[in-house]
Every structure is written in structure tokens, then in C-alpha cells.
Amino acid sequence: MKPFDWKRLLIAAAVALPMAAPALADVTLTNVSYDPTRELYKEFNAAFAAKWKADTGETVTIQTSHGGSGKQARAVIDGLPADVVTLALESDIDAIAAKSGKIAADWRGRLPHNSSPYTSTIVFLVRKGNPKGITDWGDLVKDGVEVVTPNPKTSGGARWNYLAAWAWAYGEYGGDEAKIKEYIGTLFKHVPVLDTGARGSTTTFAQRQIGDVLLAWENEAFLAQDEFGADQFDIVVPPQSILAEPPVAVVDGNVDAAGTRKVAEAYLNYLYSAEGQTLAAKHYYRPAEPDLVTDKTLLGKIPQLKLVSIDDPIFGGWKKAQPYHFGDGGVFDQIYKPAQ
Amino acid sequence: MVQPSVIPGFRLALGFTLVYLAAIVLLPLAALVWNASGLGFGAIAALALEERTFAALKVSFLTSFAAAVFNVPFGVLVAWVLTRYSFPGRRLLDAAIDLPFALPTAVAGIALTALYAPNGWLGQYAQAIGLKIAFTPLGIFVALVFVGLPFVVRTVQPVLAEVDRECEEAAATLGAGRFRTLRAVILPTLTPAILTGFALAFARSVGEYGSVIFIAGNIPYVSEIAPLLIVIKLEEFDYAGATAVATIMLAISFAMLLAINLIQAWSRRRFGRV
């Protein structure tokens, strides 16, 4: 039995209202995305609309909805008529595929680079001058260091934070699982506030002045620096972090119903074009095809470091990592279990 | 026989009442219980007794109870000042009482967090005396006092305005002191209204999410509220688990409201009127 669909009603109303305005538009595309892509897609949508107009003469209007990655996935499962989804986690798109059947199960192989046109990583944002001397993951559990990260149970970005820390500990302790878990447990004891989303954590760190280090998406760290001024924070890039691959997919069930498959596929493919890759780099994402980026100075700003993939045997892919680390009763839940 | 009301058509009115209540209140709640019932009673009971759920329910209900208790004396005081005295700006103050109703809860939460965070206007002074407010259960309490206040004030206010001043005068002529007048004449009359206000403030607080989530800190077993647990279950795409937690909350709230109603009925018999 499906839950009562009040959410679909609200979302349909929210999407339908602005859609009613540009009545002259030939085609409307809905992109359901996660929080920190707001700035990227604002610019990308305008670029794609211009390109589509030039190529086909059709006017395309793109609605982009932003929110927590898991929340957005649930909205699509519950019936939000998204044409494409551009989310933070592979497991969120897998959930749409499994629960609604609206995305083909093999979606990850349909576009280049595991359907991730851009990648990102997790870096440290510290107070100006790095007073606590934080340079690597081991420094996060030093006495007196407070770490700010959102809750991995409610935030996609926070899962990457956790996995990046895990990957470091795996190398540090030679794969000794008990020691890795102990490190992760200690790390979260250094977290005074678990916000529900990445933007909430950025606010807690930047505006409430809580904590010594914020574990953040690389692009969020740069944005925070742009927003609050480079005199406030330093970005520390650890020697090793995680390769975060935020994936994109066409929602087959919805585009076939709406007759928008052609434009939806063109939209996602355009992310892989020179223009799409350049925009990704401009918004501090790591382009999947750096050779295509037209403004090479953008590439120079991307720090080089060792990146561990979710498909590495340490994790064994999202299908294994998600339930093991973040599922009900998984490793993350065990961290907080009070001692018996 | 006196007509019960000026609106004609009892059957039509009752029919509308039933359909309206069913569509707006009962159906969604039934759907909730129906969803959770897929798990079976045993699984729901096990979930309720699970440490994490139990801890979150405890945080939610205890902070809500404390906030509602706190709001009773201070809410009555506010109602008293607003009804009994006339001073410049009274209407403005009176209107401000409703702000917690009108303000989006997330806005309230962010504002309260900014105020009570260790570097906030008020938080820095609390911090100086070693008191942490934001990101602790105390922060949840502050947010819930905020959202619950209007319920007490608004239920007590009209009753207080109606209180027969002659009784107070009579009490005074018969030699009762101020405290005795308050205790024997005024408070009994106000008791049912106070209980209603308490129940409403309490019920509202238990389900509160938006204003609490920013100030709570959300640490499992410490400052994690039950509604957050529901959101977490949803993030795991565990719809049945989420509705089960909601059903447990609903059951506890219903039992508490029922108990308060019984006390209220008793106090009405005991003290009469209102």
C-alpha cells in the first residue's frame, strides 16, 4: 500500500503554478536535483535553453527543484513528474529505480563515467590561519578539535564525509576493521552538532562559529569562501579523500509519458559537452572530461589529491556500502549506541 | 423548546461535519495507522521499545511537557497583564502573542538558534556562566516554549476577561487577602482554560519539527527528537518504520490528551462553569 500522497499534491501544485505562466513555451523540462547544485544548474539551464533554441527552434523551459538528495528521490518515487534527476548519491537513483520502476535498472551504464558528468570530493574548511593545525584525517580526532558535519542518515554529502574518513582509516590501520570503527566512532564524538543537511552545517560552522573544521563538499567550501570572504576561512585539502560521483539519469517512465525523452537526453548529454564541462569547472565541480574545458585556468584551481572510489574493494559499491554503513542498525547507528 | 442554534437543518450540518472531519482529520490518520499496521503490532511494539526510538520519544515528550508546564504560569501572567491593565502599546503586544502561530517554524528555529548559539546575543551570556542552550535539549525546550506560548495565553485570556470582578470585590470585603482571592476565587475559574491551553501547547510541541531541528544539535540519544527519527526512517526509504514511529507518537499523544480531558471534566464538575 502506497502512503497517502499529500506530497504529490503539494509538489504538483508547486510545479504547475510557475509552469502555467510561460504558456508559449514549446516544451518544459523538470530537473530534480540536490542542494549545492543550485548555482551550477541556474547557469547551465540558460546555456542549454539557448543551444536547444538554436538547434531546433524550440523554446525549452527548465524547472529545477533543489533539496536534500534523499528527499528529492522520495518526491520522484511519490510521483513528482521529474524528467531528469541529478542527485548526490547513486543509491538515491537506485531507490527510484527499485521503488517506482520509472528508471531502468541499468541507468548507471547509459552515460559516460558512470553517469557522472562531474565529480567532487570532500575537503576541510578551517578557520583562518588553521589555528588547530588540521592537515589530514587523523587530526580530526585530536583533543580539543570540534568537527562539523551533517548527519549521514539525512544528508547525502555527509555520507561522502563519512566514507572519506573511513577510506583514510582503512589505509592508516591496514584494513583492521575494529580500529577503523573506533576511529570513526571517536570522530563522531568530536561532532557537537549534526545538522540535517550540508547547507545547515555550513551555516553552523560559518555563522554560528561552532567547531574548528567543517567537512564539506569541495564546491561548498569554495562557495563558503566566496560568500563569507577568504579572510574568514582556509580550505585544507587532505592528501587523500573520496571520489564523490553525483550521478544523473533520465526518468524513463516520466519522459515517455510526457513525450520529452529527446530533450531530456539532450539535456544530460549537454553536461558532457565543452560548455557543460566548463560550467561544472566554473562552479568548482571536477569535470569528467577536463580536456573539453575551454577555460584552462579553471582546471588550475582544482587541487590534485588521491581519490578513493566507492567501487573500491574497501566499500564494494553503493549497493553494499549503503546498508552496511548507513542502513538501520548499520555501522553509523552502532557508533551512537550507548555502552551496555 | 429553545432552538439549539440559528442555523437550520441539523441533519445537513451534522452530515457536513462528519464528512469534513473524515476527509481532513480521520482519513489521513487512518491511512497512517493502516500503513503502520502492515508491520504488525509486535513489530511496532518492538520498535517503540528499541533504545533509539525510546530515547527520541523521551526527548520529545519530556521537553514538550516541560515547555508546556513552563508556559502555564508565564502564559497566565501574560494573559493577566494584557486583560487587566491598560498601557500604551498593549494592542501591539497583544498582536505579537500570535506571531509564533504565524511565523514559519523554520524561520523561528533559525532566529532562535542565532540568538542562543554560543556566539549569539543571548547565548554568549549563558555561555559565560557555563550554560549551553543551543544544540542541547535545553535549546529544544526554548524552541518549544516559543511555539507553545500563544496556546496558553489565548485560551486563558477570554476567560479572564469574563471573570466576575464582583466576586473578587466580595472576597476582599469578606477579608480575604490578595493571595487567598487568587487561590480561592480566580484560579478555580481559570483551571479548565489553563488545562486546555496546557494540552494544546503540549500537543503542538510533541510534533514540532521545523523550529526544533536547527537548535537541537540532533545527537542520537541526547538531542534527537522523534520527528527527526521519522525523517531518518524516510531517508532510508523505510515508509513502514516511519509511519510506525508516527503511530506510536499518535497513540501516546492521544492517551495524554484523553487524560487531560478527564482531569478537565473533573475540574469542571468540581469548580463549575466555563
Side-chain angles (χ1 to χ4, degrees):
Chain A
M1 153 109 197
K2 277 181 61 112
F4 185 76
D5 245 348
W6 54 270
K7 204 175 355 176
R8 186 193 311 202
L9 185 75
L10 285 181
I11 291 165
V15 173
L17 281 178
M19 258 159 51
L24 293 171
D26 294 339
V27 57
T28 302
L29 205 62
T30 304
N31 174 6
V32 170
S33 195
Y34 64 108
D35 260 330
T37 59
R38 210 175 295 267
E39 295 79 9
L40 166 64
Y41 279 108
K42 201 176 165 208
E43 210 167 330
F44 178 77
N45 289 347
F48 176 73
K51 149 117 178 121
W52 190 253
K53 179 94 182 169
D55 286 359
T56 66
E58 246 183 346
T59 305
V60 57
T61 309
I62 300 150
Q63 313 279 341
T64 311
S65 146
H66 297 274
S69 188
K71 199 187 290 168
Q72 296 290 72
R74 277 203 314 285
V76 176
I77 291 170
D78 292 345
L80 173 65
D83 297 292
V84 299
V85 286
T86 52
L87 297 178
L89 300 172
E90 189 190 323
S91 57
D92 285 330
I93 299 187
D94 278 339
I96 300 174
K99 305 235 169 217
S100 73
K102 283 183 178 169
I103 297 179
D106 66 345
W107 63 270
R108 201 176 178 223
R110 290 195 299 198
L111 287 166
H113 303 286
N114 296 325
S115 289
S116 296
Y118 42 79
T119 64
S120 189
T121 190
I122 301 301
V123 299
F124 305 153
L125 194 67
V126 297
R127 312 252 167 239
K128 190 71 196 169
N130 195 3
K132 297 275 170 103
I134 294 156
T135 57
D136 204 352
W137 295 92
D139 298 329
L140 302 181
V141 294
K142 284 201 298 204
D143 281 349
V145 172
E146 280 195 332
V147 183
V148 176
T149 167
N151 190 338
K153 302 286 269 188
T154 54
S155 156
R159 283 179 218 179
W160 290 117
N161 294 348
Y162 168 105
L163 293 171
W166 183 283
W168 172 84
Y170 188 93
E172 182 74 9
Y173 302 115
D176 182 337
E177 182 129 334
K179 283 194 177 146
I180 303 171
K181 280 186 183 169
E182 198 193 323
Y183 164 78
I184 295 281
T186 314
L187 172 59
F188 276 92
K189 285 201 178 62
H190 286 249
V191 177
V193 181
L194 280 173
D195 280 294
T196 53
R199 282 275 154 99
S201 277
T202 307
T203 307
T204 298
F205 180 76
Q207 293 194 326
R208 313 269 174 265
Q209 299 284 316
I210 302 276
D212 304 300
V213 51
L214 172 75
L215 307 187
W217 287 103
E218 184 176 42
N219 62 309
E220 280 283 279
F222 280 112
L223 280 178
Q225 221 179 21
D226 287 352
E227 176 78 16
F228 298 103
D231 55 332
Q232 291 278 309
F233 309 107
D234 285 338
I235 294 172
V236 172
V237 180
Q240 177 194 307
S241 191
I242 193 110
L243 176 70
E245 295 177 297
V248 302
V250 169
V251 186
D252 301 285
N254 291 341
V255 293
D256 288 341
T260 47
R261 177 176 284 278
K262 216 177 112 210
V263 58
E265 281 173 352
Y267 179 76
L268 292 188
N269 279 318
Y270 195 56
L271 284 167
Y272 290 90
S273 72
E275 185 141 31
Q277 293 289 298
T278 306
L279 281 177
K282 186 179 162 197
H283 291 275
Y284 306 116
Y285 279 96
R286 292 169 176 249
E289 306 267 11
D291 295 345
L292 292 179
V293 174
T294 47
D295 182 357
K296 298 294 179 201
T297 57
L298 292 173
L299 293 177
K301 290 181 182 167
I302 299 173
Q304 297 302 309
L305 69 164
K306 188 186 165 204
L307 295 173
V308 179
S309 159
I310 186 77
D311 292 320
D312 191 281
I314 300 176
F315 302 116
W318 268 114
K319 284 195 176 60
K320 201 176 141 215
Q322 169 69 25
Y324 179 75
H325 292 285
F326 310 115
D328 194 19
V331 177
F332 183 75
D333 279 351
Q334 292 163 24
I335 287 174
Y336 282 101
K337 227 173 165 57
Q340 295 297 316
Chain B
M1 198 186 113
V2 182
Q3 285 289 322
S5 83
V6 291
I7 303 174
F10 167 67
R11 281 179 203 177
L12 188 67
L14 180 70
F16 176 80
T17 305
L18 289 180
V19 170
Y20 187 75
L21 270 182
I24 304 289
V25 181
L26 298 178
L27 255 180
L29 290 184
L32 176 74
V33 176
W34 170 257
N35 245 301
S37 68
L39 278 178
F41 182 77
I44 296 180
L47 187 66
L49 293 173
E50 195 192 89
E51 258 180 302
R52 176 97 174 261
T53 326
F54 190 74
L57 287 169
K58 209 168 87 182
V59 170
S60 272
F61 280 92
L62 281 183
T63 49
S64 298
F65 186 80
V69 167
F70 183 87
N71 266 330
V72 162
F74 294 103
V76 170
L77 190 66
V78 170
W80 181 273
V81 169
L82 289 179
T83 27
R84 284 298 171 91
Y85 301 104
S86 173
F87 52 90
R90 187 177 63 95
R91 277 167 190 279
L92 211 63
L93 212 60
D94 195 55
I97 299 290
D98 287 332
L99 277 182
F101 278 144
L103 207 62
T105 51
V107 174
I110 291 167
L112 289 172
T113 314
L115 211 54
Y116 288 99
N119 69 337
W121 284 355
L122 294 173
Q124 56 182 326
Y125 300 112
Q127 180 87 352
I129 57 164
L131 192 65
K132 276 195 76 175
I133 298 177
F135 314 120
T136 69
L138 197 57
I140 306 178
F141 170 80
V142 169
L144 295 180
V145 166
F146 177 84
V147 298
L149 177 71
F151 291 94
V152 177
V153 178
R154 287 299 182 234
T155 44
V156 171
Q157 226 176 358
V159 183
L160 202 54
E162 291 283 300
V163 167
D164 207 343
R165 299 292 291 267
E166 283 168 16
C167 282
E168 282 171 51
E169 282 159 21
T173 9
L174 290 172
R178 287 183 181 199
F179 179 71
R180 179 128 191 239
T181 309
L182 190 70
R183 187 176 56 83
V185 177
I186 299 169
L187 277 185
T189 326
L190 291 184
T191 305
I194 289 175
L195 278 170
T196 308
F198 172 82
L200 289 174
F202 176 74
R204 164 70 195 271
S205 298
V206 165
E208 182 59 22
Y209 180 78
S211 61
V212 172
I213 217 68
F214 295 98
I215 202 169
N218 307 323
I219 303 293
Y221 299 97
V222 178
S223 51
E224 182 175 78
I225 54 168
L228 176 60
L229 206 60
I230 295 175
V231 172
I232 286 174
K233 297 260 177 219
L234 285 176
E235 292 289 328
E236 289 164 3
F237 302 100
D238 178 7
Y239 290 87
T243 45
V245 177
T247 308
I248 295 165
M249 291 181 70
L250 194 66
I252 301 174
S253 298
F254 190 74
M256 298 193 78
L257 288 178
L258 199 67
I260 293 169
N261 259 321
L262 289 176
I263 299 174
Q264 223 175 358
W266 171 81
S267 78
R268 231 175 242 143
R269 273 200 308 279
R270 169 83 174 66
F271 302 118
R273 74 164 261 147
V274 189

